[in-house]
Amino acid sequence: MRTVLSALSVLLAVVLTAAAVPSLWIERNVVDEDGFVRLLAPLSRDADFQAALGKSLTTTAVSASGVPAPLRPAATELAEKTLEGLTSDPAFPSAWESTLRESHRLNFSPATASTSAFTLELRPLADVVLDRLGAGLGVGFSDAPSITVPVGNAQQRAALTFAQDAAALALPLSAGAVLALLLGLLFARRRGTALAWAGGGLLVVAALLGAGTFLMASVASSQGSQGSVAGVFAQRAGQLLADAFGPWILGVAGVGAVFLIVGLVLAARQRRLPAPQ
């Protein structure tokens, strides 16, 4: 009976870990606003994304900002030249951070979240464009209105919603995994063997998480061929998520390897001793 209880507890610990690790990562790097900003901050230095972003801002910022009709041709031409140096503007880093924060609030607030796609709020960047245009034309423009760009599709939005719900269970899942492992070791007749099985299970979990991350990055990479802000954002964001989650996978694999080695060593020693009755 102790062996059965130990095996079930160790299995439960492994299953809970497989759910807890991505949930905890999502909670800290996607659902948390500061984590979200840190995760996607490198996009401000991505040439392909900035090129796609510039095209979008050129066509929307001028038309949506109240630029007088006689000035629109000159404003559009100037916008195309202005956007070439947009990332070097002193106001750009703060505008990009504001873009990420406003996008996060827009997508993770139940009152404003779209059910059809993840949405980027580009208003802060449009304000920078308008300030540069105003300086070039010698006129002042009002603040840009909301400029939103949908990213992905309804299925991806549903997956994000599911991940958001799972993130709320990150701490209970983590606590459950630790408790199940401790119970598995407590019930075990030979704790070295139980620890080794737990380590092997964690190595399997790491392999599955790695395969899932690779698949997600591959799917995201296929979006970049669209050439739009949405497509390039999906591609680059998918790569950033995969890169950021990689160390967590290695951490799971590392813990699994340690458990396996220590468990095998203990099991070898325990074989020389009679099993407890």
Side-chain angles (χ1 to χ4, degrees):
M1 189 63 180
R2 288 178 59 183
T3 300
V4 172
L5 290 174
S6 176
L8 291 176
S9 296
V10 169
L11 178 60
L12 178 61
V14 171
V15 171
L16 289 177
T17 299
V21 171
S23 296
L24 190 59
W25 184 88
I26 290 171
E27 192 276 329
R28 293 187 177 182
N29 295 277
V30 178
V31 177
D32 179 74
E33 183 177 308
D34 290 334
F36 180 83
V37 172
R38 286 193 302 269
L39 179 67
L40 297 182
L43 283 176
S44 65
R45 302 182 295 274
D46 187 283
D48 290 340
F49 177 69
Q50 294 306 325
L53 182 64
K55 293 179 182 178
S56 177
L57 288 175
T58 299
T59 56
T60 58
V62 174
S63 61
S65 62
V67 176
L71 292 176
R72 287 189 180 181
T76 301
E77 181 179 355
L78 181 59
E80 294 174 350
K81 296 180 180 178
T82 299
L83 286 169
E84 294 178 359
L86 179 63
T87 56
S88 62
D89 191 294
F92 180 79
S94 136
W96 177 245
E97 180 177 336
S98 297
T99 293
L100 292 177
R101 292 191 182 278
E102 291 192 19
S103 297
H104 186 275
R105 293 165 191 162
L106 179 65
N107 287 277
F108 288 93
S109 171
T112 58
S114 168
T115 58
S116 60
F118 185 87
T119 304
L120 279 177
E121 172 57 81
L122 301 182
R123 184 199 58 77
L125 290 176
D127 282 338
V128 177
V129 174
L130 291 179
D131 288 342
R132 290 168 67 93
L133 284 176
L137 294 173
V139 297
F141 299 127
S142 58
D143 291 340
S146 175
I147 300 177
T148 59
V149 176
V151 179
N153 52 44
Q155 290 182 342
Q156 293 168 338
R157 175 67 224 187
L160 181 61
T161 302
F162 175 79
Q164 185 178 1
D165 294 337
L169 301 175
L171 291 180
L173 287 171
S174 301
V178 173
L179 180 59
L181 178 60
L182 292 177
L183 289 175
L185 296 177
L186 180 63
F187 290 138
R189 293 168 61 84
R190 296 192 181 275
R191 289 175 183 150
T193 301
L195 189 61
W197 277 109
L202 291 180
L203 289 175
V204 172
V205 167
L208 292 176
L209 291 177
T213 302
F214 176 78
L215 179 61
M216 179 195 71
S218 299
V219 172
S221 296
S222 66
Q223 302 292 322
S225 60
Q226 298 175 13
S228 62
V229 173
V232 179
F233 177 85
Q235 180 191 39
R236 296 300 191 262
Q239 293 173 344
L240 289 174
L241 263 66
D243 292 342
F245 191 47
W248 287 57
I249 298 175
L250 291 177
V252 173
V255 173
V258 170
F259 282 6
L260 180 60
I261 294 172
V262 172
L264 290 175
V265 171
L266 291 177
R269 290 181 179 178
Q270 288 171 343
R271 287 194 190 97
R272 303 189 185 103
L273 301 174
Q277 300 300 320

